Structure formats: C-alpha cells, structure tokens
Amino acid sequence: MTALLAVFKREFKGYFGTPVAYVFLVAFLFLAALAAFDNGFFDFREASLRTFFLDLPLLFALFAPAIAMRLWSEERRSGTIEFLLTLPITPTQAVLGKFFASWAFFGVALIFTGSMVWTVEYLGDPDYGPILTGYLGAFLMAGAYLAVATFFSAVTKNQVIAFVLGAVTCLALVYAGYPPLLKTLDGGGFGFLADFAESISFNTHFELLQRGLVETGSLFALIAISIGFLASTIVMLQETKAR
C-alpha cells in the first residue's frame, strides 16, 4: 500500500508540474460548456444538466487518452520502465498507482464543472437525483476510459500511437451502442452481437445513469471494463519484468 501511494503522489503531482495540466483543464471546461450550450442548454427551459451530460462520452474519448498516453509510453521511451520494475514495487501497485492518479486528476476536472450545477440552481429548482447519478456515471465512465488508455500506453513507447489507439478504442466503445448499428445487427440475424455491443457501450450505461436510474448492471459494466483493461496492463508489465 505504501508503494502504491508513493506512485500515486508522484504521478498526481506530476500532472500539475507542467502547464499541460492547466491547458487540459481549461480546454475540457471550455468544450464541455460549449457542447452544453450548443445542445440548447437554455432552450429546454428546465433546470437540469441533461445537455451537459449529453456529449461527455465523446469528450472523454478524446481527453482520457490524452491524460493517460504518457503513463507508460514515456517510461518505455526513456527506458525508466526497467528501473521502475526493479524497485520493491509490484506491477500491480505501479499500474494502480498511476491509474488512480490519472483518475483523480480527471475527477478534479469534473469538480470544476460544478459551475454548471450553480447555473441550473440559479435558473430554477433542479432535481438533484439525476445530477448526482450523472456525475457518478461520469466519474466511473472516466475511470473506464482511462483504463483503456492506460493499456494502450503500456503497449507502445510512442505517445501519439498510444493516444490514437486509445481514442479509437474508446470511440468504438461509445458507438457500440449506436441505435442504427444495433438495429442493423439485430435485423441481420446477429442479435447476440447486438446485445453484446450494447452491453459494452459506454453511452448505453451512462445514459441510464444521467437519467437518474442507478442500475447495478450499468455500474458493474463500467467497473468490469476498467478492471479488465487494468488486469491486461498488469499482465503485460509482469511479462516485461520477467524478461
């Protein structure tokens, strides 16, 4: 546990040690607000964050890989991954320490969107149920995105490749639940594929949570995706350490 916390602290402080973190925060907040207003934030004339949550899956698909692309690819590029794995720390501790640091940083970005909550409070009397479950879903979804991006960061030493692979995979997991795709698969006799695609779609599970529906299946799916990709990353680093 001590080793995990040491990795977490080093990585989390590292995010704020360069201007990149602040550029990311500003860009994320700007685009999230822009998307909300572009979706007709004031046109619905209701005190809710429905339009704010609407495009978060797509935004996360780009920003999560940008956060996580350096986690392991930079270690590989600089050659410090071998040194890190020789320290009295297990690959599991190293992976979880880095992952939780990136997740905490993403959490900070979500906290700064609290101004949207103040806005809907000013506009009327919002139902805080969907707002709270929406933020819960956004946080869990961010973790799933980061787990995916962490895996691809461990695959290559090139940060650009890690970003592209992570972003493409995250976008695929968003659009896996796209209704026209599901309809096509179901109509073509591939109903089992349609069910599977819908079950792994970030958008499907997040949509339920932002509506205030806390279903165990959706929570489990997001957590399971995170655990699956993190476990794959750990296995890959264990093989690297064994060489």
Side-chain angles (χ1 to χ4, degrees):
M1 182 62 71
T2 302
L4 189 153
L5 288 175
V7 174
F8 171 85
K9 290 178 181 178
R10 189 193 72 170
E11 292 295 327
F12 188 70
K13 289 181 180 179
Y15 280 112
F16 295 97
T18 64
V20 176
Y22 302 98
V23 172
F24 166 84
L25 288 174
V26 171
F28 173 75
L29 294 174
F30 173 76
L31 290 176
L34 180 65
F37 291 123
D38 188 56
N39 289 329
F41 183 75
F42 293 109
D43 295 341
F44 283 98
R45 299 185 181 279
E46 63 179 38
S48 74
L49 291 183
R50 183 170 49 154
T51 57
F52 167 70
F53 290 133
L54 188 62
D55 285 334
L56 284 190
L58 290 177
L59 283 178
F60 283 13
L62 298 177
F63 280 98
I67 292 176
M69 66 181 183
R70 56 169 287 276
L71 289 180
W72 289 105
S73 59
E74 180 62 21
E75 300 279 6
R76 287 188 178 277
R77 186 195 65 80
S78 62
T80 57
I81 187 170
E82 289 80 5
F83 172 74
L84 176 62
L85 295 178
T86 59
L87 295 175
I89 180 175
T90 65
T92 299
Q93 292 172 326
V95 169
L96 292 181
K98 285 175 172 286
F99 168 73
F100 285 130
S102 63
W103 201 8
F105 177 70
F106 215 127
V108 171
L110 285 174
I111 289 173
F112 280 125
T113 64
S115 57
M116 301 295 293
V117 180
W118 298 334
T119 301
V120 296
E121 174 66 31
Y122 176 78
L123 292 175
D125 185 21
D127 181 358
Y128 281 102
I131 292 177
L132 291 176
T133 58
Y135 270 106
L136 172 63
F139 186 63
L140 291 176
M141 185 172 63
Y145 277 107
L146 289 169
V148 172
T150 296
F151 171 76
F152 287 107
S153 178
V155 169
T156 176
K157 63 181 179 180
N158 188 307
Q159 293 189 33
V160 175
I161 294 177
F163 171 78
V164 172
L165 291 175
V168 169
T169 303
C170 289
L171 286 172
L173 288 171
V174 171
Y175 285 109
Y178 193 49
L181 174 61
L182 297 178
K183 185 177 181 180
T184 300
L185 290 173
D186 195 41
F190 297 99
F192 66 98
L193 284 179
D195 292 338
F196 175 74
E198 188 175 18
S199 69
I200 63 172
S201 173
F202 289 144
N203 202 42
T204 298
H205 302 298
F206 182 57
E207 184 179 0
L208 292 174
L209 289 167
Q210 65 174 294
R211 285 163 48 194
L213 302 176
V214 182
E215 293 192 2
T216 305
S218 294
L219 297 178
F220 175 78
L222 294 174
I223 295 173
I225 290 173
S226 301
I227 293 175
F229 276 96
L230 288 175
S232 299
T233 306
I234 292 170
V235 171
M236 183 178 299
L237 291 178
Q238 286 174 335
E239 292 180 353
T240 300
K241 184 176 182 178
R243 292 173 185 171

